[in-house]
Amino acid sequence: MKEKIQVVRGMHDILPEHSPRWRNVEAVLSEALSAYAYEEIRLPIVEKTELFKRSIGEVTDIVEKEMYTFDDRNGDSLTLRPEGTAGCLRACLEHGLLHQVSQRLWYIGPMFRHERPQKGRYRQFHQLGVEAYGMAGPDIDAELIFLTRRFWRKLGLDQRLQLQINSLGTVEERQAYREKLVAYFQQGVNFVKLDEDSRRRLHSNPLRILDTKNPDMQEVVTNAPLLPEYLGAESLQHYNAFKELLSDSGLSFVENPRLVRGLDYYSQTVFEWVTTELGAQGTVCAGGRYDGLISQLGGKPSHAVGFAMGMERLLGLLESSERISARANPHIYLILVGEQAGRSGLTLAERLRDEFAALRLQVHCGGGSFKSQFKRADRSGAEFALIMGEDEVRNRQVGVKSLRKEAEQIAIDQDELMPYLKSAIWK
């Protein structure tokens, strides 16, 4: 016997018992996005490798170690997208969507990173991304926060997530801070306390050291210089106006001066929605402003802000919630015994689906005894069984039996079935 082929390590199947919860959550998110007039854009999974090297930065962990990159038959270097912002902006520039107009866009789908698999972090994972282009003020930053708050309210998570915010300032301000930070970590006593990963990041991406989860480094990180101390008047004005808009709406937040984003293109406002319920993978949604990326990818300098939300982490928070149903069982299971019943039953099923638009009706296919079919009907989770056998076909009737309540089976004339279902079942 040949060995079974299993899923690639770090990737996973979403089985039928779980996919209804995904669909329901996606519907809630889509409805909220529509309320803010954001439009969906659908993007390719594969992009040219240069796109991510130019946007994310060649000396980041993502580009150096985590991207799935390969050469195609033409010799072009292609990459499975590790994040969505670069591809979304590439599409906007390529199709002229940013020409003298602002855009509010969203997308959803799989991303790929070759990381060490663990709960809440997979090599193929799914993200909802939201991007807004062409708007400079703190009002659009605040709108994105209000949008995410609406997500949590609709999903019943508004008391289980905390908003953390910070400002990274301009590129020039961050560069000045970066130099101070490197000098601090290079001091002998401080350098000794850095782990191997942090020493590697010291000159390539030193701000990421502040985000370390290593408990042995907490003291040296806590005593490091704070970025807000290096913000200029314009950056502080933007940040303070952003905070005022949040406060005016009654939204609580925590200022975290050590909050940074892992990608090089962020500036000014950054934020994360975090939870303590998912262990080490506590960030559910994160984003911020990245005004410099548009020119970095060949467009005219403009403004951009957005966020990404991990769907697996969001679904993990919702596992214990009853607000989003886990599985959509059939309303009706149609039992068919005999050749003639099988033929008549398929026709009846189509009539029922035409009559009741949202009806979930499962027809038994493949034959079998009445007893075995009834067991399958019960296991399906359906509320009712409709039964057609030789007697029902001959008498132009349909049997109706509740599968969830103690009740006798009754026989209904086929001509009376629709009115009966409307009054007794499909209320």
Side-chain angles (χ1 to χ4, degrees), residues 337-378:
V337 182
E339 182 178 346
Q340 188 59 46
R343 293 171 57 188
S344 300
L346 289 175
T347 301
L348 173 64
E350 291 305 296
R351 286 173 51 208
L352 289 172
R353 293 183 180 114
D354 288 342
E355 186 72 20
F356 305 102
L359 176 67
R360 295 190 299 274
L361 188 155
Q362 183 173 342
V363 177
H364 182 89
C365 295
S369 67
F370 173 79
K371 184 177 181 180
S372 65
Q373 291 192 44
F374 199 86
K375 285 182 178 179
R376 290 196 178 190
D378 189 46

Side-chain angles (χ1 to χ4, degrees), residues 12 33 44 61 71 102 130 152 159 180 188 193 241 258 293 310 317 320 326 334 338 355 374 417:
H12 61 295
L33 285 157
D61 284 351
D71 292 335
S102 61
V130 178
W152 316 143
Q159 301 301 315
K180 292 289 185 180
K193 295 178 181 178
R258 309 207 178 278
L293 184 58
L317 270 182
S320 60
L334 180 53
E355 186 72 20
F374 199 86
L417 182 61

Side-chain angles (χ1 to χ4, degrees), residues 62-75:
I62 294 175
V63 172
E64 288 181 334
K65 300 187 299 182
E66 297 173 1
M67 292 201 314
Y68 283 92
T69 297
F70 60 95
D71 292 335
D72 73 355
R73 293 181 181 181
N74 297 325

Side-chain angles (χ1 to χ4, degrees), residues 256-269:
N256 180 357
R258 309 207 178 278
L259 174 62
V260 297
R261 302 298 303 128
L263 306 180
D264 286 352
Y265 52 63
Y266 282 100
S267 61
Q268 300 291 4
T269 307

